[in-house]
Amino acid sequence: MNLPSTLVLVFDALHDHVRSVSIADVAVGLAAVWALRAAFQATGKKSRTTKLRGPKSNNLLFGVSKELFESTDMAGMFEAWSKEYGVAYEIPMICGEKRIELCDPRAAAHFFSKDTWSYVGIKGMKVAVARRMGKGLSYGEGESHRRQRRTMGPSFNSTAIRKLTPAVHKAIDKVKAAWEASIEANGGDSVVLDVQKWMNYVSLDAFGIAGFSYDFNSLNGKPNPMISVLDSFADGMPQSAFSIAVAVLILFFPIAMHIPTQRNQMFDRLHKRMTELCDALIDNANANRDAGEHASTINLLLRAEDEDSGQRISREEVLSQLRTLLIASYETTAMTMTWALLELARHPNIQTKLREELVSFGGEPSYDQLTNDLPYLDAVVQEILRLHPSVPELTREAAEDDVIPLLDPVRTKSGEFVDSIVVERGTILSVPISCINRSEAIWGPDAKVFRPERWLEPDGITKKAQEVKGYRHLLSFGDGPRSCIGKTFALAEIKVCVY
């Protein structure tokens, strides 16, 4: 009998007990994990990683992670600790884990430049990615990631997006028509709409055409099993005490992914539905391979699969890439578009100024016009990306020893000031993107204010913000070898939505 089967039998035997699991039971279980982890760490050699200061743990089991997860302003917590302990500090996390937070532009640039080579995904998180999407672009490291990215790159360059922008306009036109119909059906006065869900559908339909040469028709309101499972996933995972405890265990013991909790079963359903759909997409693309000139992602992947060029990839890898892109298209850009509409509603003066620019332009702007001819629209979108990155934090594990330079020196636990920190292989590090994007130390005293004008003023971007090496001095799309491959398409989609 294999280990996964054994775990299922153990789960079934204990299921009646688990149903009545209490917080105390979960705490005891996590305490055991913490004790085992602490004992294991104690047997190891002394770490060479720089001893940094940081907040004290308020909880033996959870460290400060519970505070972070429950906070409505995680970026603010990271910024407050940065003010107190310096731009690089250590925080206690779950089961005794220590994590270094890098709130320094120079340190972040170094970190991102070596991402996927010197810094890699944490094992437990990689297992979760593999279960959710497969071993595609989000999973790959080093040469594997570089090869995958090179294969898909042409479908995301400006030439490809230039041809696809009309499809995004059509998706937005469908939303406008649906919203107008809802208002009219409600007496022409007003109506309550689930904007986030509509933006999810816009992203899915637009990227379906761009990436898969396929229209999901989610904006037409027709029943669709794939959309149903994606909606369930977007609505949130089951949060029972036992599911949460197993989710924690997975970070340290990835085999726990085989325990059939509600959370793990939802991952399985999502994976199954996406695989069924992506199989159909591959068959459809194979049947219509010569039907058009557009180098969609799926066509490029299939071409790479067929070519004897050193870039040969299996059908399973094609499936993994498609599942990865499906999730990304459904969540990340849609969140940014929702925030854009919300911020404009909160700031009617900015909305009026933007409307004046768009009305004076007139017509349906092309990709090049969206990029170059609408400066205030560009500024609004940049400010949305700054204040509301869809990925608030990026965490990695050091795959080798390294020395990370700092723009501002920090004081260590011993009282020494250093302008670089040593990290030993196995050290967990994180860049709090949402903190760096809106830090007063980096962006100035109005860092928390939604003010698009900063992107148009000669000195609107502070000198320290200019040290941030991401796109337009933001980390919203990441940076380095793992920066967002769909950045150009996302920017076009957001601008069309706001337009």
Side-chain angles (χ1 to χ4, degrees):
M1 183 179 293
N2 60 29
L3 186 53
S5 298
T6 303
L7 281 169
V8 171
L9 288 175
V10 170
F11 176 85
D12 289 339
L14 295 176
H15 188 60
D16 289 339
H17 173 71
V18 167
R19 277 179 177 171
S20 59
V21 70
S22 67
I23 296 300
D25 295 326
V26 175
V28 169
L30 290 176
V33 174
W34 180 86
L36 285 170
R37 181 179 174 82
F40 176 78
Q41 289 176 332
T43 62
K45 60 183 180 180
K46 186 175 180 182
S47 173
R48 296 186 298 277
T49 299
T50 301
K51 303 298 185 294
L52 297 169
R53 300 180 302 145
K56 302 294 182 183
S57 174
N58 294 323
N59 188 297
L60 181 65
L61 297 177
F62 295 103
V64 298
S65 61
K66 191 168 183 291
E67 294 175 62
L68 285 171
F69 296 151
E70 292 177 349
S71 174
T72 57
D73 185 15
M74 185 186 295
M77 292 183 67
F78 285 129
E79 186 174 5
W81 287 332
S82 179
K83 289 178 181 178
E84 184 172 356
Y85 304 110
V87 294
Y89 54 88
E90 183 182 84
I91 61 174
M93 296 296 285
I94 295 172
C95 297
E97 178 188 281
K98 302 289 186 182
R99 193 169 81 193
I100 293 176
E101 295 290 335
L102 300 174
C103 301
D104 181 86
R106 187 172 295 169
H110 177 90
F111 172 89
F112 279 114
S113 71
K114 304 181 79 172
D115 195 7
T116 202
W117 299 97
S118 299
Y119 298 99
V120 298
I122 300 170
K123 183 180 291 186
M125 293 300 294
K126 284 175 70 69
V127 170
V129 168
R131 188 181 186 91
R132 180 179 177 182
M133 297 177 284
K135 298 181 179 181
L137 195 64
S138 296
Y139 182 92
E141 306 284 1
E143 180 59 30
S144 171
H145 180 270
R146 189 191 67 80
R147 175 181 58 79
Q148 294 176 46
R149 191 180 179 96
R150 185 176 59 194
T151 298
M152 294 190 289
S155 64
F156 292 102
N157 63 27
S158 57
T159 302
I161 306 307
R162 190 173 284 112
K163 297 176 182 178
L164 294 168
T165 303
V168 182
H169 279 291
K170 289 180 181 178
I172 296 297
D173 288 342
K174 287 183 181 180
V175 173
K176 289 191 291 186
W179 286 6
E180 288 169 356
S182 295
I183 293 171
E184 186 176 343
N186 203 46
D189 184 16
S190 64
V191 67
V192 176
L193 297 166
D194 187 341
V195 174
Q196 178 65 66
K197 187 163 290 189
W198 279 101
M199 292 301 102
N200 285 344
Y201 294 165
V202 167
S203 289
L204 186 62
D205 281 6
F207 190 76
I209 294 170
F212 309 138
S213 300
Y214 180 86
D215 191 348
F216 288 100
N217 282 313
S218 61
L219 290 166
N220 292 339
K222 297 178 181 178
N224 184 316
M226 185 64 210
I227 294 171
S228 297
V229 74
L230 284 169
D231 280 347
S232 298
F233 183 80
D235 289 340
M237 287 289 182
Q239 295 296 320
S240 70
F242 185 65
S243 285
I244 293 172
V246 172
V248 171
L249 283 173
I250 290 167
L251 295 175
F252 309 111
F253 307 108
I255 196 66
M257 277 297 251
H258 294 285
I259 298 174
T261 63
Q262 285 179 294
R263 186 184 182 93
N264 286 346
Q265 287 172 341
M266 181 174 279
F267 275 129
D268 289 341
R269 288 195 299 273
L270 181 68
H271 187 277
K272 181 183 178 187
R273 289 287 190 184
M274 286 198 298
T275 300
E276 291 170 353
L277 175 62
C278 292
D279 266 324
L281 290 173
I282 290 173
D283 292 340
N284 178 70
N286 276 324
N288 299 282
R289 191 175 295 199
D290 300 321
E293 297 181 358
H294 167 51
S296 68
T297 306
I298 191 168
N299 287 333
L300 288 171
L301 288 169
L302 291 172
R303 204 173 300 153
E305 187 180 31
D306 290 341
E307 290 174 359
D308 187 16
S309 61
Q311 292 183 326
R312 187 183 299 277
I313 60 177
S314 67
R315 185 181 179 96
E316 176 54 40
E317 187 171 316
V318 176
L319 286 169
S320 296
Q321 304 298 11
L322 299 186
R323 287 189 293 254
T324 298
L325 293 171
L326 264 177
I327 289 292
S329 67
Y330 198 72
E331 290 185 306
T332 53
T333 307
M335 289 172 59
T336 304
M337 293 191 295
T338 302
W339 274 115
L341 298 178
L342 180 59
E343 288 289 8
L344 288 171
R346 286 173 172 173
H347 300 86
N349 58 322
I350 293 175
Q351 184 181 150
T352 299
K353 185 174 180 179
L354 176 60
R355 184 180 292 110
E356 289 172 354
E357 177 181 83
L358 302 183
V359 169
S360 65
F361 180 83
E364 184 178 282
S366 66
Y367 168 76
D368 293 298
Q369 289 169 327
L370 285 168
T371 303
N372 303 312
D373 298 344
L374 296 163
Y376 198 66
L377 173 62
D378 181 74
V380 167
V381 171
Q382 285 303 116
E383 192 71 345
I384 294 294
L385 291 168
R386 187 182 71 83
L387 288 174
H388 305 290
S390 56
V391 179
E393 184 181 18
L394 188 72
T395 303
R396 294 283 188 264
E397 179 178 342
E400 59 188 14
D401 294 354
D402 194 20
V403 179
I404 300 177
L406 300 172
L407 184 63
D408 296 320
V410 296
R411 182 160 60 91
T412 65
K413 283 184 177 179
S414 67
E416 178 188 6
F417 281 90
V418 296
D419 57 11
S420 63
I421 59 173
V422 175
V423 294
E424 189 178 36
R425 178 184 177 187
T427 303
I428 306 298
L429 302 97
S430 183
V431 174
I433 293 170
S434 57
C435 171
I436 291 178
N437 273 9
R438 52 189 292 182
S439 165
E440 292 179 1
I442 297 173
W443 290 88
D446 66 348
K448 309 293 188 297
V449 179
F450 181 65
R451 196 175 72 82
E453 285 72 17
R454 77 176 75 244
W455 299 95
L456 302 172
E457 297 165 353
D459 299 318
I461 309 302
T462 66
K463 289 184 179 180
K464 187 165 283 190
Q466 292 175 35
E467 292 282 345
V468 178
K469 300 303 180 185
Y471 170 77
R472 303 278 292 273
H473 310 299
L474 297 177
L475 295 177
S476 305
F477 293 110
D479 194 23
R482 292 192 80 99
S483 62
C484 176
I485 193 172
K487 173 187 67 182
T488 304
F489 182 78
L491 286 167
E493 188 177 355
I494 295 164
K495 287 183 178 181
V496 171
C497 175
V498 175
Y499 187 90

